[in-house]
């Protein structure tokens, strides 16, 4: 009997949980619907002509500021171009000289590195050393024979 009442209690508990979940979901839907309705009402009651006029005023002020900034920028660029035309030729020549020197230096360094690498390769080929670490290309049987001969 105690077992029947316990199972009945668990069944009722699950029913209540399901009922409360449904109630919570319905309340959430209701609050979302109210928010949507409030937003729609606010948009309908909004004075569109006033909003459009204020937007037009804002757009006009932005265009006006943009035009004045562009005009100032054009004047500044014109004055800079006039002043820098004389400097450009000297700067271009200096830059061209620096570039050619850099290219020559780079060629020289590459040439020296290539020669150095060749010298190192030659020295490594001339030195005959048995490897103690890593893989050796000779088979194990040959290595054992060589070790026996060395002794």
């Amino acid at each position: 009997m105690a077992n029947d009442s316990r199972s009945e209690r668990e069944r009722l508990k699950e029913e209540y949980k399901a009922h409360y979940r449904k109630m919570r979901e319905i309340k959430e839907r209701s609050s979302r619907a109210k928010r949507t309705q409030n937003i729609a009402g606010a948009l309908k009651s909004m004075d569109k002509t006033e909003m459009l006029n204020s937007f037009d005023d804002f757009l006009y002020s932005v265009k006006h500021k943009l035009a004045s900034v562009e005009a100032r920028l054009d004047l500044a660029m014109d004055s800079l171009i006039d002043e820098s035309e004389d400097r450009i030729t000297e700067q271009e020549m200096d830059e061209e000289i620096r570039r050619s020197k850099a290219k020559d230096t780079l060629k020289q360094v590459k040439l020296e590195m290539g020669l150095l690498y060749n010298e190192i390769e030659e020295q490594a080929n001339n030195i005959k050393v048995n490897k103690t670490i890593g893989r050796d290309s000779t088979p194990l049987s040959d290595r054992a024979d060589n070790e026996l001969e060395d002794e």
Side-chain angles (χ1 to χ4, degrees), residues 29 34 49 52 65 69 72 82 93 124 138 149:
R29 282 189 209 164
K34 285 179 183 177
T49 57
L52 287 174
K65 286 179 184 179
V69 168
R72 281 189 268 159
D82 292 341
M93 289 178 9
T138 60
E149 289 174 4

Side-chain angles (χ1 to χ4, degrees), residues 62-87:
V62 168
K63 285 181 179 179
H64 180 41
K65 286 179 184 179
L66 183 63
S68 66
V69 168
E70 285 178 349
R72 281 189 268 159
L73 181 63
D74 287 342
L75 286 175
M77 291 298 290
D78 288 342
S79 66
L80 282 176
I81 289 172
D82 292 341
E83 292 175 2
S84 64
E85 282 179 352
D86 297 331
R87 294 183 202 161

Side-chain angles (χ1 to χ4, degrees), residues 128-139:
K128 293 187 179 183
V129 177
N130 289 332
K131 290 178 74 175
T132 59
I133 297 176
R135 297 190 184 267
D136 193 2
S137 60
T138 60

Side-chain angles (χ1 to χ4, degrees), residues 34-143:
K34 285 179 183 177
R35 275 187 259 139
T36 305
Q37 187 179 14
N38 288 342
I39 292 170
L43 288 174
K44 285 181 183 178
S45 67
M46 195 182 294
D47 186 15
K48 293 169 187 76
T49 57
E50 183 180 326
M51 187 172 62
L52 287 174
N53 287 337
S54 64
F55 180 75
D56 288 341
D57 292 341
F58 173 74
L59 187 61
Y60 174 76
S61 67
V62 168
K63 285 181 179 179
H64 180 41
K65 286 179 184 179
L66 183 63
S68 66
V69 168
E70 285 178 349
R72 281 189 268 159
L73 181 63
D74 287 342
L75 286 175
M77 291 298 290
D78 288 342
S79 66
L80 282 176
I81 289 172
D82 292 341
E83 292 175 2
S84 64
E85 282 179 352
D86 297 331
R87 294 183 202 161
I88 288 175
T89 55
E90 293 174 22
Q91 288 176 350
E92 286 176 350
M93 289 178 9
D94 290 341
E95 191 172 325
E96 192 63 36
I97 291 170
R98 275 188 256 131
R99 283 184 188 160
S100 66
K101 284 182 181 178
K103 286 180 183 178
D104 292 340
T105 306
L106 186 60
K107 285 180 185 178
Q108 183 65 29
V109 168
K110 285 182 179 179
L111 180 65
E112 289 174 3
M113 286 180 69
L115 292 175
L116 180 64
Y117 181 75
N118 291 338
E119 288 177 20
I120 291 171
E121 284 293 317
E122 286 177 24
Q123 289 176 1
N125 290 335
N126 291 337
I127 298 174
K128 293 187 179 183
V129 177
N130 289 332
K131 290 178 74 175
T132 59
I133 297 176
R135 297 190 184 267
D136 193 2
S137 60
T138 60
L140 284 174
S141 60
D142 291 346
R143 275 191 264 157

